[in-house]
Amino acid sequence: MRAEHYHKAVVWLFTAVLGIPVLATLLYSLSQRWGATILPEGLTLDWYLRLWQDTRFLAAFGHSLLIAAATLALSTLLIVPTAFVVFYYFPRLERWMNILILMQFAVPPVVSSVGLLQLYAEGPLPIIGTPWVLVGCYFTIALPFMYRSVSNGLKAIHVHDLMDAAHLLGASTPHAFLTIILPNIRKSLLASLFLSFSLLLGDFVFANMLVGARYETLNVYLFSVRATSGHFTSAIVMSYFLFALGVTWIATRLSRQTDL
């Protein structure tokens, strides 16, 4: 019994450590004033109404969603077939792919941004200040998470046995990949997509240095209005958090429904 109580206490303590800052931010975003008192002086939705009526915020939020969606679509089209080809046809390349996907962590984002500014500010491909440069940068961010998750999903199923059975039944390799392999790694793919989605929405360094206000994203907008009001910025943070929470809940529900 003592061990059970200890485990419950650890879980509740961990929940409190994670939940109290979120609840405090939510309460601050709903308060009219909160200065020298323990509790806020009145609650209001004015900060959220002001936020969601701000066309600049809506545009920045839409830009972030559009860039993240384009990056994940590109990543899915390139990374998933690549992981399958490496795992099925060239397993010896797995070691080199592990090195490749970890290379981006060796260079800090600030250093990468400076190099990209020098490379793409001028010349034959001047894409600095456009969303295309962010899609390319975000692809490198999503690459290790998506590749590792898809690779682990492929290792968890009997790929060679499934492909051999599909070939015996007359299916081509692309058809077998789309109708047999892809559904079996669905959970791994969904997990990598939503993890990458959260990371991409939270990026500030690349977006601020490579694009800035020319194609303003959510975090660049948040940085620019940080001095206006703490209540207002708290409303931005909670809107982002609740959106990410809702997307995760929908993804979980869809995953459960497809398992039935």
Side-chain angles (χ1 to χ4, degrees), residues 81-136:
T82 300
F84 172 74
V85 169
V86 170
F87 187 84
Y88 185 64
Y89 291 105
F90 308 104
R92 293 184 179 180
L93 293 179
E94 177 71 14
R95 178 180 60 180
W96 300 105
M97 289 299 299
N98 290 331
I99 297 175
L100 177 64
I101 63 177
L102 293 176
M103 286 180 62
Q104 65 137 330
F105 296 110
V107 182
V110 175
V111 178
S112 300
S113 299
V114 173
L116 291 170
L117 282 171
Q118 295 180 351
L119 186 61
Y120 293 110
E122 298 177 353
L125 199 62
I127 57 175
I128 295 297
T130 69
W132 305 113
V133 67
L134 285 184
V135 171

Side-chain angles (χ1 to χ4, degrees), residues 50-108:
R50 176 183 168 186
L51 174 66
W52 286 96
Q53 291 175 355
D54 186 358
T55 56
R56 184 183 168 194
F57 163 75
L58 295 176
F61 194 32
H63 291 166
S64 294
L65 294 180
L66 184 61
I67 293 173
T71 302
L72 295 179
L74 177 64
S75 300
T76 302
L77 291 175
L78 295 180
I79 296 173
V80 176
T82 300
F84 172 74
V85 169
V86 170
F87 187 84
Y88 185 64
Y89 291 105
F90 308 104
R92 293 184 179 180
L93 293 179
E94 177 71 14
R95 178 180 60 180
W96 300 105
M97 289 299 299
N98 290 331
I99 297 175
L100 177 64
I101 63 177
L102 293 176
M103 286 180 62
Q104 65 137 330
F105 296 110
V107 182

